[in-house]
């Protein structure tokens, strides 16, 4: 069996730490504080709708979508708004958010209006891509052209993470029903659920529903980044998404399994997105999969897992390949938080950088067919026009190049920075 795409890597997956741990609902106490960020998605932050000292209900909309690429934010608890200010964020450093003191820890979410048009209902529920991309789902569900195939992404190719795996086993039918809602609403001909073959129980769970719901389950080779949208589409359908284009260009949309579950909860039960499953693992006493309210501090998740084992050196929010280092645990869980991974010094490889030895491993590993070793020189020299010519905008920032580099060159870091400069060049050209 081939990958379906060129390149990719096989890191030490470490999923056995939590793969057999059912999702455990985290409990809360009266007077605890949750901090709900107003920016939990790609695009414009939501506009706050509440003021200090205001009482809010669990599920109440507290942030309104501000633009097409934006979505709503809801309170994950019932309580009092104690302050509105800046919260710590692993992605941007600081982000505006709302601090709420819990008054009734057992309150269920207030329901949204389900009588709206499909896309408006999804916007109302505040659903975003929960695989980490956080693209507002109502936008993705408004394709300007005909889509013939819906792929549900159950690859979960990041090492350590198993929250999607557990969701696929424990909420199989809800995920399928969420996917069928999308298929029916957008009149999509084909539904395929794609899962890496290191998750046999998930594949078995989906296979039980094939005849009742009419879809296909595709088992894919275990290789990182199999779950990248472009890699997934190539592996499943053999279609290549053109550079700078979205999957809809080749008649496809891709949704994560957790997103489908959230969509089902919104359409069938009127529930806004106020909680998510998170894998907490690495150097903690009892690694777990936890169902947590949006806004819960990361420190509470680590405490729920018995605290640290040894001295923590690095904490990653998300997966170890594409996640972000956190310099504090005083930051809230957001809709994007799929994992909290604690590393000790002895868990981390040496990152002492040396000169490039021209081994070409980064070229072999790149799943987008790029030449990172040469692109690095353009990025360091700030030759952004050349970097554009070498297709840096096609970089998916998966980190494969940095992972295999024996000289420990921080290649993907250069490209993340370089892409921002290159985008400015592209915009200037478009405005001429």
């Amino acid at each position: 069996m081939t990958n379906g795409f060129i390149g990719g890597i096989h890191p030490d997956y470490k999923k056995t730490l939590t793969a057999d741990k059912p999702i455990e609902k985290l409990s809360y106490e009266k007077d605890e504080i949750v901090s709900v960020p107003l920016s939990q998605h790609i695009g414009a932050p939501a506009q706050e709708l509440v003021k200090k000292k205001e009482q809010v209900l669990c599920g109440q909309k507290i942030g309104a979508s501000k633009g097409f690429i934006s979505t709503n934010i809801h309170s994950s608890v019932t309580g009092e708004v104690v302050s509105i200010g800046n919260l710590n964020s692993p992605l941007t450093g600081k982000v505006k958010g709302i601090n709420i003191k819990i008054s009734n820890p057992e309150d269920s979410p207030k329901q949204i209006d389900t009588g709206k048009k499909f896309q408006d209902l999804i916007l109302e529920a505040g659903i975003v891509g929960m695989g980490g991309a956080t693209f507002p789902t109502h936008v993705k569900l408004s394709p300007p052209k005909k889509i013939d195939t819906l792929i549900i992404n159950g690859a979960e190719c990041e090492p350590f993470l198993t929250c999607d795996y557990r969701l696929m086993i424990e909420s199989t039918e809800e995920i399928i029903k969420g996917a069928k809602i999308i298929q029916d609403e957008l009149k999509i001909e084909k539904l395929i659920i794609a899962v890496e073959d290191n998750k046999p129980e998930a594949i078995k769970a989906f296979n039980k529903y094939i005849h009742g719901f009419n879809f296909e389950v595709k088992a894919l080779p275990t290789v990182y980044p199999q779950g990248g949208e472009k890699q997934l589409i190539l592996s499943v359908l053999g279609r290549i998404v053109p550079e700078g284009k979205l999957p809809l260009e080749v008649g496809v949309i891709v949704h994560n399994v957790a997103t489908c579950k959230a969509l089902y909860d919104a359409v069938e039960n009127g529930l806004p997105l106020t909680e998510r499953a998170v894998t907490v693992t690495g150097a903690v006493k009892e690694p777990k999969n936890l169902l947590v309210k949006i806004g819960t501090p990361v420190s509470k998740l680590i405490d729920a897992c018995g605290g640290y084992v040894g001295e923590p050196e690095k904490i990653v929010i998300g997966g170890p390949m594409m996640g972000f280092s956190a310099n504090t645990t005083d930051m809230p869980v957001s809709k994007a938080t799929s994992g909290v991974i604690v590393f000790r010094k002895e868990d981390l490889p040496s990152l002492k950088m040396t000169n490039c030895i021209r081994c070409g491993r980064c070229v072999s590993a790149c799943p987008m067919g790029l030449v990172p070793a040469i692109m690095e020189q353009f990025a360091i020299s700030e030759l952004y026009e050349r970097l554009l010519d070498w297709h840096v905008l096609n970089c998916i920032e998966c980190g494969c190049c940095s992972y295999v580099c024996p000289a420990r060159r921080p290649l993907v870091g250069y490209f993340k920075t370089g892409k921002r400069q290159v985008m400015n060049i592209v915009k200037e050209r478009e405005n001429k």
Side-chain angles (χ1 to χ4, degrees):
M1 190 183 289
T2 62
N3 294 349
F5 58 91
I6 60 169
I9 58 174
H10 295 86
D12 189 0
Y13 283 94
K14 300 278 189 185
K15 289 178 182 281
T16 52
L17 291 169
T18 53
D20 294 330
K21 304 285 185 68
I23 297 170
E24 180 182 318
K25 191 168 184 175
L26 194 58
S27 61
Y28 294 80
E29 301 290 336
K30 187 173 181 290
D31 293 338
E32 277 189 72
I33 304 284
V34 299
S35 304
V36 183
L38 286 163
S39 182
Q40 302 185 50
H41 48 266
I42 287 177
Q47 176 65 50
E48 76 256 31
L49 298 174
V50 292
K51 295 177 181 175
K52 187 177 176 181
K53 294 188 178 180
E54 187 171 335
Q55 300 293 321
V56 295
L57 296 173
C58 183
Q60 179 180 331
K61 187 161 69 176
I62 56 175
S65 169
K66 202 168 65 175
F68 183 57
I69 310 295
S70 180
T71 193
N72 296 323
I73 304 289
H74 302 78
S75 176
S76 58
V77 297
T78 291
E80 179 187 342
V81 176
V82 291
S83 63
I84 298 173
N86 286 329
L87 310 175
N88 291 314
S89 164
L91 179 59
T92 57
K94 295 287 182 184
V95 63
K96 193 174 184 181
I98 299 171
N99 297 304
I100 305 169
K101 184 195 284 186
I102 301 174
S103 61
N104 183 359
E106 304 301 323
D107 226 4
S108 298
K110 178 176 179 282
Q111 289 191 319
I112 58 171
D113 176 8
T114 56
K116 297 188 173 189
K117 178 188 166 192
F118 177 56
Q119 286 83 356
D120 292 341
L121 191 160
I122 303 307
L123 165 62
E124 189 61 32
I127 300 173
V128 301
M130 296 176 72
T134 66
F135 195 81
T137 300
H138 68 282
V139 179
K140 210 171 188 180
L141 293 175
S142 308
K145 59 189 294 184
K146 172 69 179 171
I147 300 298
D148 61 63
T149 306
L150 168 62
I151 299 177
I152 302 305
N153 188 352
E156 198 173 48
C157 59
E158 275 271 12
F160 286 87
L161 301 185
T162 60
C163 55
D164 277 0
Y165 173 61
R166 292 308 312 179
L167 208 60
M168 287 188 276
I169 294 172
E170 298 174 34
S171 302
T172 319
E173 191 169 0
E174 290 95 326
I175 292 168
I176 295 168
K177 285 181 175 177
K180 294 301 287 187
I181 290 170
I182 298 171
Q183 185 183 17
D184 292 344
E185 289 287 343
L186 272 59
K187 297 182 172 47
I188 299 173
E189 297 160 22
K190 199 167 187 178
L191 169 60
I192 301 172
I193 299 179
V195 186
E196 277 191 317
D197 58 10
N198 63 351
K199 303 173 185 66
E201 293 303 316
I203 294 170
K204 193 187 300 181
F206 283 125
N207 277 333
K208 288 180 184 174
Y209 292 90
I210 282 180
H211 297 299
F213 289 93
N214 187 28
F215 63 93
E216 180 183 343
V217 177
K218 186 91 173 176
L220 301 173
T222 300
V223 58
Y224 178 85
Q226 186 68 267
E229 276 194 345
K230 292 183 177 180
Q231 286 66 41
L232 196 65
I233 292 168
L234 187 55
S235 294
V236 173
L237 299 172
R239 299 179 191 176
I240 298 173
V241 180
E243 182 175 352
K245 302 293 182 182
L246 297 171
L248 64 89
E249 196 68 28
V250 293
V252 182
I253 56 173
V254 179
H255 284 281
N256 168 267
V257 288
T259 311
C260 287
K261 168 70 165 56
L263 187 143
Y264 168 81
D265 288 339
V267 175
E268 293 298 320
N269 302 318
L271 296 176
L273 181 52
T274 60
E275 60 185 16
R276 69 155 297 146
V278 181
T279 301
V280 186
T281 187
V284 292
K285 288 180 181 169
E286 189 183 356
K288 294 180 177 180
N289 288 298
L290 296 172
L291 182 65
V292 306
K293 295 178 182 295
I294 302 298
T296 305
V298 167
S299 56
K300 181 177 171 75
L301 275 60
I302 291 171
D303 289 344
C305 292
Y308 301 116
V309 174
E311 188 69 25
E313 176 74 10
K314 183 176 184 180
I315 296 174
V316 173
I317 307 298
M321 297 301 297
M322 294 188 73
F324 297 89
S325 292
N327 56 11
T328 174
T329 55
D330 180 24
M331 63 173 56
V333 167
S334 75
K335 296 173 184 177
T337 309
S338 53
V340 174
I341 310 173
V342 180
F343 294 100
R344 298 165 298 183
K345 193 170 185 179
E346 56 265 40
D347 301 324
L348 298 169
S350 168
L351 296 178
K352 187 178 178 183
M353 185 170 68
T354 59
N355 291 332
C356 174
I357 59 173
R358 307 285 194 271
C359 66
R361 291 183 196 176
C362 57
V363 180
S364 300
C366 179
M368 295 304 295
L370 303 177
V371 188
I374 292 178
M375 292 162 59
E376 181 201 23
Q377 300 308 309
F378 295 138
I380 292 173
S381 305
E382 299 183 359
L383 297 172
Y384 297 121
E385 297 271 1
R386 297 298 307 275
L387 201 53
L388 175 59
D389 293 341
W390 282 72
H391 308 282
V392 71
L393 293 182
N394 233 2
C395 171
I396 61 170
E397 303 177 12
C398 63
C400 288
C401 53
S402 299
Y403 181 86
V404 299
C405 179
R408 297 301 178 196
R409 310 293 299 176
L411 298 164
V412 72
Y414 290 134
F415 304 148
K416 284 181 180 179
T417 304
K419 283 171 73 175
R420 287 197 289 273
Q421 300 296 331
V422 168
M423 282 302 297
N424 291 334
I425 294 172
V426 172
K427 285 178 184 173
E428 285 176 11
R429 288 180 179 177
E430 288 173 351
N431 292 333
K432 283 182 180 176

